[in-house]
Each structure stands twice: as C-alpha cells, then as structure tokens.
Amino acid sequence: MSVERGAVALAEFPGPFDLQSTVESGQSYLWDRADGRMYEESGAFGGDAWYETVVRVDGDPEVVRVRQVDDRLEWESSVDAAPVLREQLRLDDDLPAIRALAPDDDVVESAFDAYWGMRLVDDPAFPSLISFICSAQMRVARIHGMQRELERAFGSTVEFDGRTYHAFPTAERLAEASEADLRDLGLGYRAPYVRDTARMVADGEARPQEAVGLDYEAARESLTRFVGVGDKVADCVLLFALDYLEAVPLDTWIRTTIEEYYPDCDRGNYADTSRAIRAAFGGEYAGYTQTYVFHYLR
C-alpha cells in the first residue's frame, strides 16, 4: 500500500487548533500515539507526537497518521487524509464563536484559556458506542487499552509503510465473539454488553445512526436501547460521534463540578440536571464547554 503525504494549513480554519488535547482528552479511544505514550499524562496539550488511527473510507480500512507542527497538520496515509482530518477533528467548527456563547465564569474561562484550540472529535458511531460501553468505572488509559485489544483480536489487518495495523472490529465480527473471548481481553462485566450490542447492530435490530435527526432527548433515549447504554454513555456517543454538540455527559467529574461550582443545577435526576447544566454551559454548544471543563478539572 503506497504512502501519501501532505499537510493541512490550520490558518484556513476558524480559531486555533490543538491536536494533542483533541485526541487525548477522553473523547476518543480510536487514536493511538506512535510512541506508545497515549494517555500517559494528564492535561495533555501542545505536543507534536505522531498519532495514528484506522478509518473506513468507502468501507475499506485506511491508515491515517498525523502530527501537529506549528501552524499545520502533517499527515501520512494510504489515502488523501485531508478530508478525513477535517471531518473527524472538526476543523471547520468556529471555535471563537462557540466560546462566545459559553458562560464567562472563572472555571469555564480558565478551562478555555488552558486548552484553547481543543476541538471535539467526530468519531464513527459504532466504534464510539462500543468504546463508551467499555468506559464504565474505568480510567481513560484502560478504556483506550481495551479498544486496542478488541482491534488486535477481532479487527481486520492493514499493511502500511512496513507495519501491520488493525481496524476497529465490525459489528458482525464482534457479534461472533463469545462472552469468554471478550472477558479474556479484560472487558469484565462489560463483555456481554459489547457482544449483545454488536449483535443488535449486526442483525439490523438497531443502529446508533438512527438517533440522528431526532430531538436531543429523543436521540439520547434512542441510544439507550443498546445493551449496557445508559444516559451518560448515550450522551457521550451523541456528543463525540453524532453531532449533538449540546450533549453534556454527566459522569463523575462533571457531577463533582456541578456540586462544587453549579449546585443550583443539581435537580436530583439525570434528565433535569442535564437540562440545567446544558443551559448553564451555553445551550447549543454546551458539550464543548463540558469537554473543556472535563479536561481542565480531571
């Protein structure tokens, strides 16, 4: 497979961009660092490491490697990676306009200042769904490691630039896995959730993309049909894969943030607390504010 190379000039897009914080802030578990140090440091920002992932272009797995050097993204790939990076790293998002809609309190301002340039990711829906099913009660590094194990065990291989890469498994392939196989990879009690959700997708019973176009709360409810998916996991998939930028996943860190800084938003249940913190975080782009605050306080 031939190696294509190119660069994306970041000045073409609105606002700043920071690659490291975008892919190492707990939004995506589909990227890896070429040096093997993914998720080793907290508060990741401003680095120039090479990152790599396997994406599907017209159904075929393709390798994309990228690093940030000053005002550009340098890439190596088996395809033209520029449109892939533009979409999956949300380079067209108008970050200054999004920040202007966020509250100007000290916590939010400090978070934006600290990681200014971090974008949301736009991951493919099924891998994102499986990743966040695996995320319950897990550190980000462990979640990331689980996805690499799933890829190595069940993903198709891609030869690129003298190395073998593994794509994220298809729903059909994961549906064939036994619970014991998945437990052997360290998934623990999440193993049947992953298997059964993959079977739902493989059998055509449900697809995460079916949430797209629904009102936000109906979209969240749609995703909770999948085994092992509650409101928080559903919100993660909505935010990081399905373009619902208002979603605010209420995980432990954000609940602690609400308790310490936004106590009036705690309404005693997920739905009402979610509505209150979304309003406090700026409404339409509340998920952006949440992601900055999460990375800042975690």
Side-chain angles (χ1 to χ4, degrees):
M1 188 176 288
S2 61
V3 180
E4 297 188 32
R5 293 180 172 86
V8 176
L10 294 171
E12 298 177 8
F13 302 99
F17 176 77
D18 182 72
L19 177 63
Q20 184 178 18
S21 58
T22 299
V23 298
E24 286 200 61
S25 51
Q27 307 180 53
S28 175
Y29 300 100
L30 307 181
W31 290 87
D32 206 1
R33 273 177 64 150
D35 62 8
R37 301 186 61 192
M38 191 78 172
Y39 284 119
E40 278 192 6
E41 59 183 296
S42 60
F45 182 80
D48 60 359
W50 280 100
Y51 293 90
E52 48 198 20
T53 190
V54 178
V55 300
R56 291 193 178 273
V57 178
D58 298 326
D60 297 323
E62 307 285 356
V63 176
V64 173
R65 297 197 300 230
V66 62
R67 68 175 176 178
Q68 183 167 1
V69 180
D70 300 326
D71 58 353
R72 67 189 185 279
L73 296 178
E74 297 180 349
W75 58 264
E76 302 174 348
S77 181
S78 50
V79 293
D80 178 4
V84 174
L85 296 171
R86 183 172 187 163
E87 176 183 354
Q88 295 204 2
L89 301 177
R90 302 194 66 98
L91 296 179
D92 288 305
D93 286 0
D94 189 339
L95 204 56
I98 290 169
R99 180 173 182 171
L101 296 174
D104 59 359
D105 63 63
D106 290 344
V107 175
V108 170
E109 285 297 305
S110 295
F112 273 108
D113 286 344
Y115 299 110
W116 187 223
M118 181 173 66
R119 304 288 174 121
L120 293 182
V121 298
D122 188 6
D123 277 344
F126 178 71
S128 179
L129 177 64
I130 295 300
S131 296
F132 284 105
I133 288 174
C134 292
S135 71
Q137 298 177 327
M138 278 288 178
R139 296 176 297 106
V140 290
R142 185 71 189 93
I143 304 163
H144 176 260
M146 282 185 182
Q147 308 323 300
R148 301 292 78 73
E149 293 292 335
L150 286 172
E151 290 170 355
R152 284 189 284 267
F154 303 109
S156 57
T157 59
V158 186
E159 301 298 326
F160 175 72
D161 197 23
R163 289 178 53 195
T164 300
Y165 292 81
H166 294 82
F168 197 87
T170 62
E172 291 73 18
R173 184 67 184 91
L174 272 184
E176 296 171 353
S178 70
E179 181 178 336
D181 290 337
L182 295 170
R183 285 185 179 273
D184 285 346
L185 299 180
L187 270 66
Y189 70 86
R190 306 159 194 82
Y193 303 162
V194 168
R195 179 202 59 198
D196 292 348
T197 284
R199 288 177 178 175
M200 292 175 70
V201 175
D203 293 344
E205 180 181 344
R207 296 170 60 249
Q209 294 92 333
E210 291 167 355
V212 175
L214 300 175
D215 289 342
Y216 162 65
E217 292 192 7
R220 186 172 65 199
E221 183 67 23
S222 173
L223 289 177
T224 61
R225 294 178 296 167
F226 293 101
V227 183
V229 176
D231 290 331
K232 192 270 286 189
V233 168
D235 270 336
C236 289
V237 179
L238 290 176
L239 181 58
F240 303 130
L242 296 180
D243 207 34
Y244 283 81
L245 303 188
E246 67 267 51
V248 176
L250 299 183
D251 64 2
T252 300
W253 291 99
I254 294 302
R255 288 185 180 277
T256 298
T257 300
I258 291 171
E259 180 181 342
E260 293 184 6
Y261 299 103
Y262 306 95
D264 290 345
C265 292
D266 185 353
R267 305 297 169 83
N269 63 76
Y270 194 102
D272 291 337
T273 301
S274 173
R275 293 186 194 106
I277 194 62
R278 292 200 314 272
F281 276 177
E284 182 181 2
Y285 297 105
Y288 251 106
T289 303
Q290 177 269 343
T291 303
Y292 270 86
V293 170
F294 174 87
H295 195 45
Y296 178 64
L297 294 178
R298 181 170 59 89

